[in-house]
């Protein structure tokens, strides 16, 4: 039967914004605001790689469509870079340039999961992965692991095994981890890859913070199981270009074909100017910009962690705090409202998995002095 | 059961590119190329509205994420413009800014259609709508109408009625029409809207060529059935900004909420710079640019049509030709290869519905003198 005015199941299954009540409180606040709930950076992208640097005289037709797969010159630059960095030889047909890593993971999930399929999601996780799975009418199965639930690779695999079902099709992992700031040890990533292979699962590897590691090393998942890994990367996080919407997906060529169709039928192509900016950043000032940003981010993370009395993050741009002891009868919503009353926005734990008493704070989403004042407010509210 | 290395049904149901064989032929051609298969323009966007005009000094943070719904200032400008142009009062919460009209229609279909649902698609149609429906595991039901199949509004409704089923959830119409260049008369649009209401269906109105009409008038669908119409519009087509990826969806606020979630989980947000460029074009030189482009497009369409012996288009940037009498035993593929051997790319009829002997040509996708030479090649091949 026609379903007007009802909406589709995939739409109703997907959660929307969680900020409505907090937004009202924030609107009543007239002072400075501290938007530490978003994963972003206050830094402008490198000079020479900004929109103002992209001239029609140099790039005629730069406002026209790019090919769905991406600009050939950018594809070649990324293939060379991925081959060198990850140690896994990567061809152009194993790449898809996408509307950020969100576009990469949405296209990847479309290619491999459908109604009723289960995707095991190591938690805490990047919030949108849950909704991306819901959009396919598939079922996200959180596997709590990185907030202290598992102590070693063996326990990690036991947690996955306990949630495996005949409907499982994939396992998602996110390292450096948003929201915890953890960098997964090599043994853990190797164990997940080997287990996924033994169980016939796809692997979704979200590695958008690969450049922001302050302790330990980034372990690329794809070289460990290239036949089944779909890895998402981002110019947004690496170079302060989130508004450009440019990331990429790497995977087996025979899956990328299908991910490319998903991309063509959702955002069509990645913005042409964003791809030119990405080419320029790879060819020019990108590495130096990252070195500078990494040093600044590390100092900010350490300062915020010290003020809040939690361990410094090993990677990413986030702190994830258990605030259970500071909740009153209004629960986490009450705490978020108390923060919003003073202009501070932080993200609620349930966005990242079964974490009803946690909050996430991004220590790079505003200029350092603004972050510092926001952290002071949170410290005061938490009595630290 | 885990399905690695199989892929998901929605991915396998969606068609990919149809150009593989033709691309090989084109690669062997060393002379000038005539890319008339793509819907695009050779014109650069208005001065003042190009990426080079968007400076960090004027727009600090312009490379950061925009809100998922869109920049508030652009939303307000579009709401005012849509209210004035369509006569339908439009609020900001009835709008979603998207990665082009593709992003708008993908989000709209996600909100209203799911597995097994049927979407009636008036044909010939914009090629991607078929795949967008497949991506939801829904079923596109072509309703041939605009290539001479129906003579009046009554016959149009009879064609729709004949394909209505208990699974029908929506009807899609595209005016000015890509690929036929037709502009649907008011009586036809009114009839579709009234019929959809009587049958409890959603309406998907693709109106991206609203500014490019050379005969007749554009009839906005949404004012005729605002409670059920989701209308897609584009800065790409209007202002030569396809590579920016900025369009918008208009619909009931309670549906836009769900379309916004679909957008957040596929491309996240529309590029920030693209939205600033859109604001600038609406506030400044957009109307004058469109007047100029319209006059040029009209002259090009008339010249191409005259040379090929078909009626001049009433709107859009396309000609749709039946080439049945020129096909040999190799069929349409053979004709496309003969064109590619001479550097000419045109789009095959089956991309637009059940049109095995048609081709589509875009008369604005290359500079006028290039289009003219491409048209000469086609005329020669067709013996015209």
């Amino acid at each position: 039967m026609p379903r007007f005015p009802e909406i589709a199941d995939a739409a109703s299954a997907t959660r929307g914004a969680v900020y409505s009540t907090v937004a009202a409180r924030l609107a009543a606040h007239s002072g400075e605001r501290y938007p530490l709930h978003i994963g972003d950076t206050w830094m402008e992208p490198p000079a020479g790689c900004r929109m103002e640097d992209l001239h029609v005289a140099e790039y005629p037709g730069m406002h026209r469509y790019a090919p769905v797969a991406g600009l050939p010159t950018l594809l070649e630059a990324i293939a060379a870079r991925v081959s060198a960095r990850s140690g896994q030889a990567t061809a152009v047909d194993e790449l898809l340039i996408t509307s950020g890593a969100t576009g990469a993971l949405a296209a990847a999930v479309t290619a491999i999961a459908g109604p009723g399929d289960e995707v095991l999601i190591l938690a805490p996780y990047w919030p949108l992965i849950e909704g991306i799975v819901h959009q396919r009418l598939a079922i996200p199965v959180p596997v709590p692991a990185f907030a202290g639930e598992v102590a070693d690779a063996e326990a990690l695999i036991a947690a996955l095994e306990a949630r495996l079902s005949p409907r499982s099709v994939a396992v998602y992992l996110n390292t450096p981890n948003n929201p915890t700031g953890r960098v997964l040890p090599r043994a853990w990533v190797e164990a997940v890859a080997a287990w996924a292979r033994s169980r016939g699962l796809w692997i979704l590897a979200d590695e958008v913070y690969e450049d922001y590691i302050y302790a330990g090393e980034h372990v690329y998942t794809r070289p460990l199981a290239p036949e089944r890994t779909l890895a998402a990367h981002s110019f947004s996080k690496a170079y302060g270009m989130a508004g450009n919407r440019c990331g990429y997906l790497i995977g087996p060529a025979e899956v990328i074909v299908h991910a490319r169709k998903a991309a063509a039928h959702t955002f069509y192509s990645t913005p042409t100017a964003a791809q030119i900016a990405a080419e320029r950043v790879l060819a020019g000032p990108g590495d130096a910009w990252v070195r500078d940003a990494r040093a600044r981010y590390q100092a900010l993370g350490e300062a915020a962690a010290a003020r809040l009395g939690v361990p410094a993050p090993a990677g990413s741009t986030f702190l994830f705090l258990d605030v259970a002891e500071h909740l009153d009868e209004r629960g986490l919503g009450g705490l978020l409202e108390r923060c919003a009353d003073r202009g501070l926005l932080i993200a609620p734990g349930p966005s990242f998995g079964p974490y009803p008493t946690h909050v996430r704070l991004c220590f790079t989403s505003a200029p350092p002095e603004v972050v510092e004042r926001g952290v002071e407010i949170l410290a005061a509210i938490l009595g630290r």
Side-chain angles (χ1 to χ4, degrees), chain A:
Chain A
M1 285 295 294
R3 68 153 61 87
F4 172 88
E6 288 170 46
I7 53 119
D9 291 344
S12 53
T14 307
R15 282 200 293 184
V18 290
Y19 272 96
S20 43
T21 61
V22 171
R25 304 293 282 253
L26 187 70
H29 170 78
S30 60
E32 187 174 48
R33 295 183 180 194
Y34 315 93
L36 309 190
H37 59 310
I38 294 174
D40 209 336
T41 180
W42 85 99
M43 290 177 68
E44 302 286 358
C49 307
R50 301 171 182 178
M51 291 299 143
E52 67 199 53
D53 301 310
L54 312 183
H55 294 262
V56 165
E58 186 175 359
Y59 303 102
M62 62 166 277
H63 298 89
R64 294 168 54 117
Y65 288 117
V68 169
L71 290 180
T73 42
L74 178 60
L75 284 165
E76 280 168 29
I78 293 173
R81 184 175 171 83
V82 166
S83 301
R85 296 187 111 191
S86 72
Q88 177 72 28
T90 302
V92 159
D93 65 356
E94 295 172 297
L95 289 172
L96 175 69
I97 299 174
T98 55
S99 176
T102 304
L105 285 160
V109 171
T110 299
I112 61 155
D117 290 339
E118 294 177 1
V119 178
L120 297 160
I121 302 181
L122 287 167
Y125 47 75
W126 172 63
L128 290 180
I129 190 62
E130 184 186 284
I132 285 173
V133 172
H134 276 306
Q135 290 268 307
R136 303 319 308 173
L137 292 166
I139 301 161
V141 178
V143 182
F146 305 141
E149 296 92 341
V150 305
D152 53 28
E154 205 168 272
L156 178 64
I157 299 308
L160 282 166
E161 191 72 36
R163 284 155 184 98
L164 185 72
S165 95
R167 301 293 304 175
S168 307
V169 296
V171 55
Y172 166 94
L173 81 166
N174 169 219
T175 181
N177 185 247
N178 170 2
T180 63
R182 292 185 69 168
V183 175
L184 300 196
R186 177 168 292 281
W188 292 33
V189 181
E190 287 178 348
V192 171
W195 178 80
R197 181 176 281 155
S198 74
R199 295 296 181 262
L201 301 177
W202 296 100
I203 300 171
L204 299 163
D206 176 350
E207 304 183 0
V208 300
Y209 292 100
E210 63 186 301
D211 288 301
Y212 294 98
I213 294 195
Y214 322 117
E217 54 153 357
H218 179 61
V219 179
Y220 287 95
T221 310
R222 183 167 153 266
L224 304 171
E227 80 288 356
R228 70 189 62 242
T229 300
L230 295 159
H233 298 264
S234 161
F235 289 90
S236 305
K237 304 307 180 187
Y239 306 109
M241 296 178 164
N244 290 9
R245 311 309 304 126
C246 185
Y248 54 97
L249 181 69
I250 327 175
E254 55 274 23
V255 185
I256 292 294
V257 165
H258 296 288
R260 190 161 66 220
K261 292 188 295 186
H265 292 92
T266 45
F267 54 85
Y268 190 66
S269 60
T270 299
T272 311
Q275 297 192 59
I276 297 171
E279 278 184 33
R280 291 172 69 107
V281 84
L282 289 184
D287 288 343
W289 192 92
V290 167
R291 276 195 300 277
D292 176 47
R294 186 164 45 223
R296 295 177 186 227
Y297 291 4
Q298 177 170 6
L300 288 164
E302 287 173 358
R307 184 65 191 87
L308 293 166
V310 297
S316 90
T317 59
F318 303 104
L319 297 180
F320 196 56
L321 293 82
D322 188 347
V323 295
E325 59 188 291
H326 305 283
L327 304 182
D328 60 19
E329 69 288 352
R330 294 181 303 156
L332 193 63
L335 181 84
L336 295 179
E337 288 179 12
R338 273 188 284 157
C339 291
D341 286 341
R342 299 179 64 177
L344 172 63
L345 289 176
I346 50 178
S351 296
F352 308 91
Y355 299 96
T357 65
H358 278 71
V359 294
R360 185 195 74 176
L361 170 157
C362 177
F363 51 79
T364 64
S365 64
E369 63 279 10
V370 178
V371 169
E372 192 184 340
R373 290 194 287 272
V375 168
E376 280 301 325
I377 290 171
L378 183 59
I381 287 173
L382 300 182
R384 292 182 185 176

